[in-house]
Amino acid sequence: MTVVPPRPGGPADPWCQARRWYERALGWPTSGEAPLELLTGDRFDALGLPLDAGAAVLGRPVRTGPVVLDARARRLWFLLAAGSADELPELLDWLEWGTVALDLAVLGPGGRITAPVPTEPERAVWVRPPRPGNRGGGIEPPLPVTGLGGEGGAPDLARLVGAAATEAHRARMLRALGARRRPPGEGQPLAFSYASRMSAGTRPRSLTL
């Protein structure tokens, strides 16, 4: 089930209503023009995954912040605390994914993602919608932040990135296997980082009670 922003009072144009909701209720900067986009790097950064990998992350017991589905690009964008984009390369190295080719995209200052608008579900929709907080504070507390366990009740960025890397790698390899129509029983080429499995809550079987 997808959720779109409420339609506040104001001009009848749904695009204008959506812009007002993002800018006034959430305090998020937008492109200010159609097609409406949300600007990253100020109130949040964004981590992008292909649809199959992103859907798999949503099925894991990993806490996330708001999530946008870019329907045209078939990509899910997970909103992160501002500043996370700069930390991602080092975090991937720490999780032992730094040398693996992953279909991950991260947007910080200067980036933008498609903004869901109620009348344009073919462009983008909220899979996990944002919720307005106290004026001036926005919704930053629920956004994934650096630090094991998160801070102030926020989701843990390391666990989310570990899960995202694992599922992006899995999806990429499965797509490659499907394209090659590899017959069963020829071995398992998937190589998952030990650190990321631990951080994502998927421990090796030998360590599972």
Side-chain angles (χ1 to χ4, degrees):
M1 177 179 179
T2 56
V3 182
V4 295
R7 305 177 106 187
D13 185 350
W15 176 86
C16 291
Q17 295 175 351
R19 177 185 174 187
R20 286 163 55 90
W21 187 74
Y22 289 123
E23 294 182 352
R24 298 186 183 183
L26 298 179
W28 290 357
T30 73
S31 60
E33 58 186 11
L36 191 64
E37 295 177 305
L38 301 175
L39 308 184
T40 61
D42 181 8
R43 302 299 294 274
F44 60 86
D45 290 349
L47 175 67
L49 286 81
L51 181 57
D52 51 359
V57 172
L58 291 176
R60 283 172 167 262
V62 176
R63 295 175 59 203
T64 76
V67 181
V68 177
L69 166 61
D70 185 331
R72 293 183 177 178
R74 295 183 59 80
R75 202 167 189 87
L76 286 172
W77 290 99
F78 293 73
L79 303 195
L80 315 173
S84 298
D86 292 335
E87 300 175 5
L88 190 65
E90 183 176 351
L91 183 55
L92 286 172
D93 285 341
W94 181 76
L95 292 169
E96 301 178 14
W97 285 107
T99 60
V100 180
L102 299 171
D103 190 4
L104 298 179
V106 63
L107 299 177
R112 55 182 63 195
I113 61 175
T114 302
V117 175
T119 56
E120 300 176 357
E122 73 283 356
R123 294 185 65 247
V125 293
W126 286 108
V127 177
R128 292 183 177 173
R131 302 186 184 282
N134 295 328
R135 193 71 181 95
I139 65 161
E140 280 80 351
L143 296 177
V145 297
T146 301
L148 294 175
E151 300 174 1
D156 182 350
L157 180 62
R159 293 184 184 278
L160 174 58
V161 171
T166 298
E167 295 300 345
H169 180 63
R170 185 193 304 274
R172 178 174 176 269
M173 296 301 293
L174 290 177
R175 287 193 296 269
L177 290 176
R180 293 168 56 186
R181 297 183 180 179
R182 188 184 187 96
E186 290 193 9
Q188 174 56 277
L190 302 180
F192 299 109
S193 159
Y194 172 85
S196 68
R197 284 185 292 175
M198 292 293 288
S199 68
T202 57
R203 296 183 296 175
R205 185 174 301 176
S206 60
L207 298 180
T208 304
L209 300 179

